[in-house]
Amino acid sequence: MALRVWASSAANALKLSSASTTHLSPAAPLSLSRCFSTVLDGLKYASSHEWVKHEGSVATIGITEHAQDHLGEVVFVELPEPGAAVTQASGFGAVESVKATSDVNSPISGEVIEVNTKLTETPGLINSGPYADGWMIKVKPSNPSELDSLMGPKEYTKFCEEEDAAH
Amino acid sequence: MRIPRKLEVWRMGTMNYLNALKLQEKLASDRKACKISDTLLSLQHPPTYTLGKRRTDHNLLVSEDELKTMGAELHYTQRGGDITYHGPSQAILYPIISLRDIGLGARNYVEKLELTMINLASTYGVQARPGRKCETGVWVGERKIGAIGVRISSGISSHGLAFNINPDLNYFKHIVPCGLADKEVTSLTREANAELPTEEVIEEQLIASFAQLLNYDNIEWKDNASAS
């Protein structure tokens, strides 16, 4: 599995396209980590492998490249309704892959203002573009200081390495 | 230094589906709070049909009333996977373990559940294989011998695997098993040429196979009488 992730990351860096590479939004710079899972600068990360991008009064949330790789092909996504409340570290939805449903937790608290409806028809966007087209919800944060308790890119990279080394 | 990993196994005998579900929810909550160590439920169900989170009830070919007449229950669950049947002589393992603690993602965990059944089958000379894409489970040729449906919440697993030792395969005729039409279902009894030991022995071997693949150092056994 490590070889495939490495190849995917290397292909990203060289801007080669293939079915299994992650499509990154051009605006987001990337840092390649030793564990070869793509981690983006400018985002904050939760230990349950969700990312959040805070821009003014809107925070966009999704799952990381590391998470989608460990899940396998996503075939179903369950999302909340706009208007629903989310709480830091609590579940807001779920994804299904390889006959396993995995809860997805929100890195911050707030109110859901938009959900990515494309994921209903094309759940695989989470695999092909976890930081871009595979975004899951947009939230109006109720407590922006919660972002301080999340990990930055370097911390999260190290966290992934340690977690992967554990088995 | 590696901390020894312990698996606590509860052998529950035949257990009603909803009771097993409630027990799993309690154990998962306790595991999340680190009140208990990794736990595995080993049991069988009375005739029961279950659906996963996607609620694919178009794969149920009879009405709920007809199911009741047959003496079978139907339950909607939060697990992954499609529709399936559980019943006597089908070995069920529900591991309630912290995947997060061992850095195991859904894909790797499900692969280990498949291998658990594949390794057990090979003990009896049965060559089983994992499913191809979109066919998660364990197959002997084009016949399905083991099914998987898992839920992962806060990094803790629940639900698990179902391995056909010798269930009445006619029950599978009332569903499109796992949503795969034109695929047969089979059992260890059908596929093995060797004589099989008792179901209890096979279930123990299945548990041992799981424990080995998940690198547990010791197993603590609790049977129905002592499990509270």
Side-chain angles (χ1 to χ4, degrees):
Chain A
M1 188 195 84
L3 193 57
R4 193 179 72 76
V5 176
W6 178 86
S8 165
S9 253
N12 272 332
L14 296 170
K15 303 273 186 270
L16 298 172
S17 66
S18 88
S20 60
T21 54
T22 302
H23 298 296
L24 300 171
S25 106
L30 69 85
S31 50
L32 286 175
S33 64
R34 280 195 348 250
C35 74
F36 306 116
S37 213
T38 315
V39 176
L40 296 194
D41 289 331
L43 305 184
K44 292 289 235 167
Y45 298 87
S47 60
S48 45
H49 303 287
E50 294 90 8
W51 56 266
V52 56
K53 186 173 187 181
H54 187 209
E55 293 167 301
S57 58
V58 177
T60 308
I61 291 166
I63 67 168
T64 64
E65 154 81 27
H66 181 273
Q68 72 76 25
D69 181 66
H70 279 51
L71 281 173
E73 191 188 330
V74 176
V75 300
F76 177 73
V77 182
E78 186 185 70
L79 294 171
E81 294 288 315
V86 294
T87 311
Q88 187 178 45
S90 281
F92 68 79
V95 295
E96 182 178 337
S97 63
V98 294
K99 309 264 176 111
T101 54
S102 301
D103 286 2
V104 185
N105 294 329
S106 183
I108 57 168
S109 310
E111 184 195 326
V112 178
I113 53 177
E114 199 186 330
V115 306
N116 187 354
T117 49
K118 286 203 189 120
L119 294 179
T120 313
E121 281 298 312
T122 320
L125 288 173
I126 288 189
N127 296 111
S128 59
Y131 300 111
D133 292 342
W135 67 273
M136 294 179 78
I137 60 173
K138 289 192 202 275
V139 163
K140 187 170 111 187
S142 56
N143 186 2
S145 65
E146 282 175 337
L147 288 156
D148 299 334
S149 65
L150 300 173
M151 291 182 266
K154 286 204 180 79
E155 256 187 284
Y156 177 63
T157 302
K158 188 157 181 282
F159 177 78
C160 288
E161 286 170 10
E162 284 167 4
E163 213 183 55
D164 280 348
H167 73 274
Chain B
M1 190 200 85
R2 209 176 131 267
I3 300 165
R5 281 163 51 71
K6 177 184 92 159
L7 180 68
E8 202 175 285
V9 176
W10 296 23
R11 285 182 285 201
M12 307 302 293
T14 299
M15 198 177 184
N16 165 273
Y17 193 81
L18 277 183
N19 290 343
L21 200 54
K22 280 187 203 130
L23 178 57
Q24 288 182 74
E25 281 163 12
K26 165 108 186 25
L27 291 173
S29 170
D30 284 350
R31 184 66 189 87
K32 183 179 169 186
C34 300
K35 287 185 190 161
I36 58 173
S37 55
D38 286 351
T39 305
L40 173 76
L41 300 180
S42 168
L43 52 93
Q44 296 190 4
H45 288 307
T48 310
Y49 292 91
T50 67
L51 287 149
K53 206 180 187 45
R54 282 176 285 140
R55 303 175 73 93
T56 48
D57 44 24
H58 52 274
N59 286 323
L60 178 63
L61 305 174
V62 295
S63 69
E64 280 196 55
D65 284 338
E66 282 170 270
L67 285 186
K68 279 201 191 100
T69 314
M70 274 179 238
E73 291 182 7
L74 173 69
H75 293 289
Y76 289 80
T77 75
Q78 296 297 309
R79 63 160 172 78
D82 209 300
I83 192 168
T84 197
Y85 164 79
H86 299 308
S89 286
Q90 186 193 71
I92 301 238
L93 296 191
Y94 291 146
I96 315 293
I97 68 176
S98 174
L99 298 176
R100 196 173 282 174
D101 278 4
I102 49 175
L104 214 58
R107 198 157 51 92
N108 285 342
Y109 176 55
V110 165
E111 275 171 18
K112 289 194 192 280
L113 291 179
E114 287 174 330
L115 268 175
T116 296
M117 294 187 270
I118 290 168
N119 290 350
L120 184 277
S122 77
T123 314
Y124 296 100
V126 175
Q127 292 265 18
R129 60 168 180 85
R132 299 176 199 111
K133 196 172 149 154
C134 298
E135 284 186 354
T136 297
V138 175
W139 300 78
V140 182
E142 298 300 309
R143 303 174 298 285
K144 195 166 191 183
I145 195 173
I148 290 174
V150 167
R151 180 176 184 195
I152 303 170
S153 182
S154 299
I156 311 289
S157 67
S158 59
H159 297 271
L161 65 84
F163 182 73
N164 292 339
I165 301 178
N166 191 20
D168 181 349
L169 298 179
N170 286 319
Y171 277 98
F172 285 96
K173 294 196 174 125
H174 305 299
I175 56 175
V176 181
C178 310
L180 298 167
D182 309 326
K183 295 283 187 185
E184 264 184 73
V185 182
T186 187
S187 66
L188 189 65
T189 304
R190 275 220 180 158
E191 300 291 335
N193 286 321
E195 202 184 302
L196 297 177
T198 63
E199 282 181 16
E200 208 178 69
V201 169
I202 297 175
E203 281 165 352
E204 253 182 56
Q205 291 171 334
L206 194 61
I207 293 164
S209 176
F210 174 82
Q212 191 205 29
L213 283 163
L214 274 289
N215 293 317
Y216 288 102
D217 298 293
N218 30 46
I219 298 179
E220 204 174 281
W221 299 88
K222 281 187 148 134
D223 60 34
N224 203 359
S226 61
S228 54

